[in-house]
């Protein structure tokens, strides 16, 4: 039986390895410097602004920021390079006229007729935090295996391959449009901080999340940014709905992450700093409205669906309209009965009194008058002001004209604070429920799910939640008035 030859190491090759690695690293460094020079030149010729910046997000080459056109505005985009291919691809993107597409996590290369946008699942994974699920979508590889080998719409743009991530392709030959949903392309990786945010790739959840983009290629070209936005909207609406009908795999476009982020942890996800509390806590044993609490808990359980969450908080308020309308009416009646000019024996005087009471009941028990009566009775102005001032994002949002048709809420105006809060909550509620086909060109405004304006609902929910909590507390029965604890 022949004895197998023993494998021996090539000592000469091993000795040369450090030298070979050193030469390779030097060649890479030189190639990067040459490409950075080309990028600077290309930006200067094309009117892009490229800036050097200090530090990075755990990547050696996070050293540059590109200001990408977005209509009349510029979007600051930190560039993230880990190899020469990504740098080369950035030069090509600038040469082909890259532009950002509004508040979406989306960009277009006009010269290539190419659009790419980050997408998220309509039904997010329940085991992922909301801030991760907001940028996560998985293409089921069993349904859509990545088997294509010839270069086509997205292969042209060199997408990465991701384990357990499939690749969905579609085409319309008559209109000349090709679509792919797959892992982010090389250029999307370069722009990752404004597509998926700075937290995700360096967080503990990165290994459990799936990142995908929709890629749209129109060889005939894209006329301008407005054409790109319209094409993106029409293609995503149609594709998402049909994927959901056929495979329960609907998606929606992600919103562009804020940059620079207010705060971030380079290793772990964002944390809420909380101080330990003094115990034991005070056990109030207040008796809260059972039906009001049902609406409140429904709202808390609907946090993944902001519209439903907001409307359920409003239902907490609406549930108490009749209670505080009656309280207002009784107070009105007491004031009238104290008036020495009121003569109960006079039919005309009594008729006026009864009609006035009827008007009070009708007005205070519905919509805005009922809401205002409820909030004025339940909201402590100083508590409301402190709540708004304690949240920088909320305070800033409420002082800006971010949503048409609702008043600003400024804590310095204490005498108007509750009324403005009521008008704002009522206005937001109307924009959500009165979607009857109006549009802003006809002088009205509605908050449509998926729209750029809808992102402001996150801040509005904070105000509605505070109002609902305050009303439930003010409407509760103290334990000392309950016989259950006698």
């Amino acid at each position: 039986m022949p004895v197998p030859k023993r494998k021996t190491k090539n000592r000469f090759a091993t000795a040369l390895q450090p030298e070979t690695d050193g030469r390779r690293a030097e060649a890479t460094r030189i190639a990067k410097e040459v490409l950075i020079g080309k990028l600077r030149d290309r930006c200067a010729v094309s009117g892009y602004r490229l800036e050097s910046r200090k530090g990075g997000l755990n990547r050696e080459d996070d050293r540059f920021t590109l200001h990408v056109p977005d209509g009349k505005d510029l979007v600051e985009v930190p560039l993230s390079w880990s190899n020469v291919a990504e740098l080369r691809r950035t030069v090509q993107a600038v040469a082909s006229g890259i532009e950002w597409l509004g508040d979406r996590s989306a960009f277009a290369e006009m010269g290539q007729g190419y659009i790419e946008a980050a997408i998220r699942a309509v039904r997010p994974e329940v085991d992922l935090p909301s801030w991760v699920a907001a940028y996560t979508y998985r293409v089921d590889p069993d349904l859509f295996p990545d088997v294509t080998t010839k270069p086509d719409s997205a292969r042209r743009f060199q997408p990465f391959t991701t384990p357990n991530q499939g690749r969905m392709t579609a085409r319309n030959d008559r209109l000349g449009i090709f679509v792919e949903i797959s892992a982010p392309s090389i250029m999307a990786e370069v722009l990752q901080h404004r597509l998926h945010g700075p937290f995700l790739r360096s967080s503990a959840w990165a290994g459990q999340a799936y990142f995908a983009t929709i890629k749209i290629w129109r060889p005939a070209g894209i006329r301008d940014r407005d054409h790109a936005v319209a094409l993106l909207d029409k293609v995503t609406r149609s594709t998402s709905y049909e994927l959901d009908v056929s495979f329960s795999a609907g998606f929606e476009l992600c919103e562009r992450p804020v940059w620079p982020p207010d705060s971030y942890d380079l290793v772990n996800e964002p944390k809420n700093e909380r101080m330990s509390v003094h115990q034991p806590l005070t056990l109030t044993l207040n008796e809260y409205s059972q039906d009001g609490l049902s609406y409140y808990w429904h709202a808390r359980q609907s946090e993944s669906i902001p519209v439903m969450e907001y409307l359920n908080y409003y239902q907490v308020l609406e549930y108490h309209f009749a209670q505080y309308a009656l309280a207002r009416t009784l107070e009105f009646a007491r004031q009238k009965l104290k008036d020495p000019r009121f003569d109960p024996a006079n039919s005309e005087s009594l008729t006026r009194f009864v009609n006035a009471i009827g008007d009070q009941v009708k007005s205070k028990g519905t919509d805005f008058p009922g809401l205002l009566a409820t909030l004025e009775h339940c909201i402590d102005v100083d508590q409301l002001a402190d709540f708004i001032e304690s949240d920088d994002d909320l305070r800033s949002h409420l002082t800006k004209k971010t949503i048409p048709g609702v008043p600003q809420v400024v804590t310095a105006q204490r005498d108007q604070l509750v009324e403005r809060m009521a008008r704002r909550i009522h206005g937001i509620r109307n924009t959500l429920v009165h979607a009857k086909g109006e549009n802003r060109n006809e002088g009205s405004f509605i908050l449509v799910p998926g729209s750029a304006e809808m992102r402001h609902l996150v801040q509005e929910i904070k105000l509605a939640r505070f109002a609902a909590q305050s009303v439930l507390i003010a409407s509760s029965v103290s334990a000392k008035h309950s016989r259950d604890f006698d």
Side-chain angles (χ1 to χ4, degrees), residues 299-327:
R300 295 295 282 164
Q301 292 163 2
S302 305
E303 289 185 355
S304 61
I305 310 174
V307 173
M308 184 179 294
E309 183 183 6
Y310 190 93
L311 293 178
N312 274 294
Y313 285 134
Y314 189 86
Q315 283 187 297
V316 174
L317 308 178
E318 195 171 37
Y319 175 79
H320 292 87
F321 284 2
Q323 174 183 345
Y324 292 105
L326 177 60

Side-chain angles (χ1 to χ4, degrees), residues 324-339 342 349-361 363-364:
Y324 292 105
L326 177 60
R328 278 287 184 91
T329 302
L330 291 175
E331 181 61 28
F332 176 81
R334 290 190 188 98
Q335 295 299 326
K336 284 293 183 182
L337 292 172
K338 286 167 55 179
D339 190 337
F342 172 66
S349 179
L350 190 59
T351 300
R352 284 199 301 269
F353 175 75
V354 172
N355 289 338
I357 293 295
D359 291 341
Q360 283 285 314
V361 172
S363 65
K364 298 299 181 185

Side-chain angles (χ1 to χ4, degrees), residues 310-311 313-314 317-318 321 363 365-373 375 403-407 409 418-434 445 447 457 460 463-464 467:
Y310 190 93
L311 293 178
Y313 285 134
Y314 189 86
L317 308 178
E318 195 171 37
F321 284 2
S363 65
T366 57
D367 284 347
F368 180 71
L371 175 62
L372 182 60
L375 295 185
I403 301 178
V406 296
V409 177
V418 174
E419 181 182 352
R420 283 180 167 269
M421 175 193 192
R423 292 191 181 280
R424 189 174 188 99
I425 290 175
H426 187 255
I428 294 296
R429 179 257 186 188
N430 286 345
T431 63
L432 292 172
V433 302
H434 295 313
F445 180 78
L447 274 174
L457 197 60
E460 301 296 338
L463 196 64

Side-chain angles (χ1 to χ4, degrees), residues 13-306:
T14 303
L16 290 179
Q17 188 66 36
E19 182 179 352
T20 303
D21 291 344
R23 288 178 179 176
R24 187 180 296 112
E26 179 64 14
T28 299
R29 185 190 66 78
I30 294 173
K32 286 184 177 180
E33 292 300 326
V34 170
L35 286 169
I36 289 173
K38 288 184 178 180
L39 180 60
R40 290 185 186 277
D41 294 341
R42 177 58 65 181
C43 287
V45 171
S46 304
Y48 290 85
R49 193 163 93 235
L50 181 69
E51 295 179 344
S52 299
R53 60 191 178 88
K54 295 181 180 179
L57 296 180
N58 266 358
R59 295 185 67 162
E60 180 183 354
D61 292 316
D62 289 338
R63 295 183 287 122
F64 293 93
T65 296
L66 183 66
H67 293 262
V68 179
D70 178 20
K72 295 180 180 180
D73 301 322
L74 291 175
V75 176
E76 181 183 359
V77 183
L79 303 177
S80 183
W81 301 314
S82 60
N83 54 55
V84 172
E86 291 179 347
L87 184 48
R88 185 179 294 112
R89 182 67 183 85
T90 307
V91 177
Q92 294 171 354
V94 171
S96 62
I98 186 172
E99 290 197 33
W100 211 268
L101 302 182
D103 291 327
R104 306 168 181 85
S105 291
F107 65 92
E109 295 180 46
M110 303 303 176
Q112 299 286 351
Y114 178 74
I115 300 170
E116 185 167 358
I119 59 175
R120 64 187 176 206
V122 172
R123 298 190 304 167
E125 296 287 339
V126 295
D127 57 344
L128 291 176
S130 59
W131 61 275
V132 178
Y135 295 96
T136 300
Y137 184 85
R138 181 171 183 252
V139 183
D140 189 338
D142 293 330
L143 284 174
F144 306 105
D146 190 353
V147 296
T148 304
T149 56
K150 64 178 182 179
D152 59 8
S153 59
R155 280 288 183 259
R156 173 187 181 89
F157 297 94
Q158 299 173 300
F160 282 115
T161 56
T162 303
N164 299 319
Q165 182 79 302
R167 176 171 175 265
M168 189 285 296
T169 62
R171 59 193 298 161
N172 186 309
D173 293 325
R174 184 175 65 85
L175 297 177
I177 295 176
F178 303 86
V179 173
E180 174 176 315
I181 298 177
S182 59
S185 70
I186 286 181
M187 195 60 208
E189 290 292 322
V190 172
L191 307 177
Q192 63 176 268
H193 298 316
R194 294 312 299 268
L195 287 176
H196 295 112
F199 294 121
L200 295 185
R201 301 308 177 87
S202 55
S203 76
W205 292 94
Q208 301 179 43
Y210 295 93
F211 305 107
T213 57
I214 182 170
K215 305 161 184 72
I216 304 169
W217 184 38
R218 186 174 185 266
I222 299 173
R223 293 189 299 274
D224 51 32
R225 178 183 173 279
D226 290 341
H227 184 207
V229 170
L231 188 62
L232 174 64
D233 287 343
K234 290 180 179 179
V235 170
T236 53
R237 276 199 300 268
S238 173
T239 306
S240 175
Y241 178 69
E242 290 167 12
L243 280 176
D244 199 62
V245 169
S246 301
F247 310 104
S248 298
F251 64 88
E252 56 189 359
L253 297 174
C254 297
E255 298 163 2
R256 184 180 74 210
V258 174
W259 184 270
D262 295 331
S263 62
Y264 53 82
D265 187 325
L266 300 182
V267 178
N268 301 307
E269 62 271 19
K271 299 179 177 65
N272 293 322
E273 295 294 332
R274 291 195 174 189
M275 301 291 291
S276 61
V277 298
H278 178 70
Q279 299 192 69
L281 302 177
T282 300
L283 187 62
T284 66
L285 294 175
N286 290 338
E287 185 177 338
Y288 298 98
S289 161
Q290 184 174 344
D291 293 338
L293 274 181
S294 296
Y295 289 123
Y296 178 79
W297 289 125
H298 195 199
R300 295 295 282 164
Q301 292 163 2
S302 305
E303 289 185 355
S304 61
I305 310 174

Side-chain angles (χ1 to χ4, degrees), residues 429-455:
R429 179 257 186 188
N430 286 345
T431 63
L432 292 172
V433 302
H434 295 313
K436 300 177 181 178
E438 302 98 330
N439 58 62
R440 66 188 74 199
N441 296 327
E442 296 170 354
S444 59
F445 180 78
I446 56 176
L447 274 174
V448 180
S451 65
E453 293 83 4
M454 185 58 76
R455 72 184 189 279

